[in-house]
Amino acid sequence: MVLAGKRILLIISGGIAAYKSLDLIRRLRERGASVRPVMTAGAQQFITPLAVGALAADHVFTDLFSRQDEQDVGHIRLARDCDLVLIAPATADLLAKMANGLADDLASTILLATDRPVLAAPAMNPKMWAHAATKRNVEMLRGDGIAFVGPMKGEMAESGETGTGRMAEPFEIVAAVEMRLHDGAKPLAGKKAIITSGPTHEPIDPVRYIANRSSGRQGHAIASALAALGADVTLVSGPVTIPDPAGMHVIHVERADDMRDAVLAALPADIAVMVAAVADWKVASASDQKIKKHPGESLPTLALTENPDILKTVGHHTQRPKLVIGFAAETQDVESNARAKLERKGADIIVANDVSPATGIMGGTRNRVKIIRHDGVEQWPDLDKDDVAVRLAALIAEQFKQG
Ligand code: C5P
């Protein structure tokens, strides 16, 4: 059993998605894990401790100030005597408390006291998930090392609204738990991976540059997911505003030329995932001085020249990594363009996405991709970029398992 002997502290907070936590408990136990439940007061408005306790076959902890519970176990031990703290559902309120270090009930106190990995499955109304305050809190929590699964896009149970906010399904949460806990979850140990991420900035003069809307979210998430599977990761990042992921070597570059140099210097490697939105063109001769405006005179013209194609260079290199993956950001004919790219660039896989402005993918947090290989195509559902990364890392690990 995949989770045999693993101890999961499951914090259930107050949302309608709590009903799915009952099934989640069953699925975790089916896989051999023990589940120790903690419920907030809100959670008990949706499901009963009786049902949770029966399914978990354990005492349900609800009260920070319960003399009996404190005597028997104590909140500090609760927080530490487990392999993973799982929060499902994680409400906007609980995330806000965590982000700010509040500890005014048992669940939030455990979350402040724990030194174990924490995985949160948020569930809330789409407007609450999209709110600037929640976004800020989630960004902060990610920075603190909290992992997330979901929320997913879909119809909300109570209001019938559609949008992002639905809790991940129990099987998806179980997969995320396995990913974090699997003893053998280092299938990429000893493998070296080079990832490019973010945009490039191509100087026009010392103060101006050509750039694009890439945020680096997808590339950084892939680098993290590969590092989580044990890969030795070098992340070559263009200028982004998101923090460096932990546990890897990060090289910061500005221009495509610098990105290519950094990638080639990092060879040999086993895996290359070129996610960066490298500018196709650079200014043929960038000015050393700021270009002045001269009203009434002719406007300056920018002569462009092609940038090096880093993916193509790596795909045809004498030290070509065993697995070379590229991305294809297209606004039309996504699949046929991606197929052509597979051949031209010497890649094994192209991850194709439609970046038409209406999709909100470029610069956004979600992605809907097609996995294009020489022998087939697979459409993935609309996912958070972190979940695309986890799936892609699992797919990469699978390739190495097959030898
Ligand atoms: O040709 P196109 O830019 O659409 O190809 C996208 C893929 O190629 C991405 O994986 C991107 O990282 C990579 N690429 C590159 N160097 C370039 C242009 C694209 O590595 N100059």
Side-chain angles (χ1 to χ4, degrees):
M1 284 193 287
V2 203
L3 293 174
K6 297 295 179 198
R7 298 160 309 161
I8 295 171
L9 186 81
L10 172 65
I11 294 179
I12 307 176
S13 61
I16 184 68
Y19 79 91
K20 290 197 218 170
S21 307
L22 297 172
D23 189 33
L24 175 63
I25 295 171
R26 290 189 54 217
R27 288 177 188 264
L28 288 167
R29 294 194 62 214
E30 262 167 27
R31 285 165 176 75
S34 64
V35 178
R36 171 155 276 188
V38 172
M39 295 176 76
T40 65
Q44 294 168 64
Q45 299 292 325
F46 291 93
I47 53 173
T48 65
L50 191 65
V52 170
L55 289 168
D58 198 352
H59 178 70
V60 181
F61 295 81
T62 54
D63 189 0
L64 180 58
F65 302 110
S66 153
R67 247 184 63 202
Q68 193 60 51
D69 287 355
E70 276 304 298
Q71 224 165 48
D72 293 347
V73 182
H75 62 273
I76 300 293
R77 241 184 73 199
L78 259 185
R80 310 247 167 100
D81 275 3
C82 61
D83 299 294
L84 177 85
V85 179
L86 172 62
I87 318 167
T91 58
D93 178 66
L94 188 53
L95 295 177
K97 279 187 186 164
M98 286 168 76
N100 291 285
L102 298 188
D104 65 350
D105 65 358
L106 183 61
S108 52
T109 304
I110 287 172
L111 287 162
L112 196 59
T114 192
D115 56 1
R116 309 275 103 189
V118 178
L119 173 67
M124 65 196 73
N125 177 276
K127 294 258 177 342
M128 292 167 79
W129 177 250
H131 195 283
T134 306
K135 280 189 177 159
R136 230 173 13 242
N137 291 334
V138 168
E139 202 68 48
M140 222 160 14
L141 290 168
R142 283 191 208 279
D144 292 345
I146 307 295
F148 287 85
V149 47
M152 303 298 174
K153 210 169 168 175
E155 199 169 308
M156 298 297 116
E158 71 279 42
S159 62
E161 277 175 80
T162 49
T164 301
R166 195 170 58 76
M167 186 167 88
E169 294 304 322
F171 78 91
E172 291 167 313
I173 299 176
V174 168
V177 167
E178 285 175 3
M179 190 81 171
R180 294 203 72 81
L181 283 186
H182 215 239
D183 277 337
K186 302 286 179 202
L188 293 175
K191 302 281 181 245
K192 184 169 172 191
I194 308 174
I195 320 300
T196 64
S197 182
T200 63
H201 284 183
E202 306 300 332
I204 296 171
D205 67 17
V207 296
R208 304 181 178 98
Y209 54 83
I210 300 176
N212 59 60
R213 295 185 194 282
S214 168
S215 64
R217 276 180 208 284
Q218 187 63 84
H220 280 51
I222 291 168
S224 287
L226 289 171
L229 295 190
D232 167 11
V233 176
T234 297
L235 171 64
V236 183
S237 172
V240 294
T241 56
I242 56 175
D244 286 354
M248 66 189 67
H249 182 42
V250 185
I251 302 172
H252 295 275
V253 296
E254 295 269 330
R255 304 174 312 151
D257 283 322
D258 305 327
M259 189 173 269
R260 179 215 33 216
D261 292 349
V263 167
L264 295 184
L267 287 174
D270 304 282
I271 304 155
V273 192
M274 306 285 98
V275 196
V278 182
D280 290 315
W281 310 285
K282 62 183 166 191
V283 176
S285 47
S287 168
D288 295 343
Q289 305 292 330
K290 184 179 170 199
I291 302 171
K292 288 283 195 202
K293 63 179 171 195
H294 297 290
E297 291 178 24
S298 61
L299 296 171
T301 50
L302 286 182
L304 300 179
T305 177
E306 251 178 67
N307 258 330
D309 189 320
I310 305 168
L311 173 59
K312 195 170 164 189
T313 308
V314 170
H316 294 100
H317 201 274
T318 47
Q319 287 182 303
R320 182 190 191 278
K322 179 165 183 271
L323 193 60
V324 175
I325 302 180
F327 271 64
E330 305 283 353
T331 55
Q332 55 193 355
D333 301 330
V334 177
E335 194 174 322
S336 56
N337 283 329
R339 282 207 165 281
K341 215 158 278 183
L342 198 59
E343 300 298 335
R344 193 170 72 243
K345 306 226 183 192
D348 302 294
I349 298 175
I350 290 283
V351 182
N353 50 14
D354 183 347
V355 292
S356 310
T359 63
I361 284 173
M362 200 89 170
T365 57
R366 299 187 71 80
N367 208 349
R368 190 176 148 79
V369 303
K370 276 192 174 132
I371 303 295
I372 300 183
R373 306 167 191 251
H374 291 279
D375 60 356
V377 179
E378 198 186 327
Q379 171 76 60
W380 285 1
D382 180 282
L383 295 166
D384 194 90
K385 285 182 179 173
D386 285 343
D387 296 322
V388 170
V390 167
R391 275 203 185 201
L392 190 67
L395 185 151
I396 291 171
E398 193 60 32
Q399 301 285 312
F400 280 91
K401 210 157 65 187
Q402 286 167 7

